Amino acid sequence: MTSTPAKRVPALIIVTFFLTFAGPGAVQGYLKNIAPAQWPPVKVTSILVVLYFSFMIWRILIPASQRFLGDKWSMVLAPGAYLLVPAGLALGLNYWLIAASAVVWGWGAAGLWQTGPVWLYDVTDEKRRGFWAGVLYVAVFSGLAIGAKVQGLAVEMAGRRAILALAI
């Protein structure tokens, strides 16, 4: 018995959110551990400022992006945007490229949070929408908790490269 694409959508969305928050989403708490050692604290923190300011702006602009890309491509590209800052740090990119990556991460965050829950709402039975919303948030917070714990162990045991590899 094969399942229809619409029946697979809730599981795909939930797995996407879990993996996104267990990997690159959890790296936010360890940014000072993975940023270049010579960066002063204000420079490290400014990456998160850029990310969240960008996210705020993109929350307003994301409907146009979503209409252009459609649900499927929004859900494919948005989690990929979360990878840009850890990948940029792993590659040793300069501060300005990391900051630009944080702007794109903000777009990805807005796209993920706009597309995922709405698509989940659209494809689930109206009597089960609360259940699926709960499952989505369990996936997000358990992914974040597991990711933070595993990445914390990685940074203690193997250092910066290990946490970046896990995040990516």
Side-chain angles (χ1 to χ4, degrees), residues 24 27 77-91 93 97-108 164 167-168:
V27 86
L77 296 173
Y82 277 70
L83 295 170
L84 294 177
V85 169
L89 289 167
L91 294 171
L93 299 181
L97 289 172
I98 301 298
S101 297
V103 171
V104 178
W105 184 351
W107 168 83
L164 288 168
I168 294 166

Side-chain angles (χ1 to χ4, degrees), residues 23 27 30-39 44 47 84-95 98 150-168:
V27 86
Y30 295 102
L31 200 54
K32 71 179 183 80
N33 300 91
I34 60 174
Q38 68 273 21
W39 283 14
V44 175
I47 297 299
L84 294 177
V85 169
L89 289 167
L91 294 171
L93 299 181
N94 72 35
Y95 170 79
I98 301 298
V150 169
Q151 289 177 22
L153 292 171
V155 82
E156 286 175 12
M157 294 170 48
R160 179 177 187 272
R161 290 304 228 189
I163 194 172
L164 288 168
L166 280 171
I168 294 166

